[in-house]
Amino acid sequence: MLRARCLQPRPEAVKKFKSKDALLRVHVMPAFEKRPLARIDRLAVQAWVDDLIGAGLAPSTVSKCYRLVARVFDEAVDDRLLARSPCRKVDLPSI
């Protein structure tokens, strides 16, 4: 019983996962999925952020999308796949 309860995801965790998955599918993957990580530079990330803003996304949504992408690049740096993250010094909208 305890094991089943521990393995059962909390409703808020499921909701958070679905939200992140939707952001990735709709706003992140279309922009970056065909490009190798090493070929994405800061200007490309800034252009993507600017496109999200131009598409009318709320600043908080743009920020959430950016944080997902930044986390991927931080992991790539930690794993020594990249020397530095292209997400550094990207201008984000004020929330």
Side-chain angles (χ1 to χ4, degrees), residues 9 61 76 91:
T61 302
D91 295 324

Side-chain angles (χ1 to χ4, degrees), residues 61-73:
T61 302
V62 173
S63 181
K64 287 176 189 176
C65 291
Y66 169 82
R67 286 194 310 266
L68 287 171
V69 170
R71 191 172 308 135
V72 169
F73 282 106

Side-chain angles (χ1 to χ4, degrees), residues 1 3 9-10 15 18 24 29 34 38 46 48 50 83 85 88:
M1 174 114 158
R3 181 171 189 247
R10 297 184 325 262
K15 183 179 176 184
K18 287 181 181 180
L24 283 169
M29 295 308 291
K34 294 183 180 179
Q46 185 66 65
W48 167 70
D50 294 343
S85 171
R88 295 181 62 213

Side-chain angles (χ1 to χ4, degrees), residues 7-65:
L7 294 176
Q8 204 169 23
R10 297 184 325 262
E12 61 273 11
V14 171
K15 183 179 176 184
K16 188 180 272 190
F17 172 80
K18 287 181 181 180
S19 174
K20 287 181 181 179
D21 181 60
L23 291 173
L24 283 169
R25 268 186 299 103
V26 175
H27 301 299
V28 177
M29 295 308 291
F32 296 116
E33 70 183 336
K34 294 183 180 179
R35 299 174 72 178
L37 287 179
R39 302 287 299 232
I40 300 171
D41 60 10
R42 189 189 66 79
L43 295 175
V45 175
Q46 185 66 65
W48 167 70
V49 166
D50 294 343
D51 288 346
L52 295 178
I53 295 166
L57 268 67
S60 61
T61 302
V62 173
S63 181
K64 287 176 189 176
C65 291

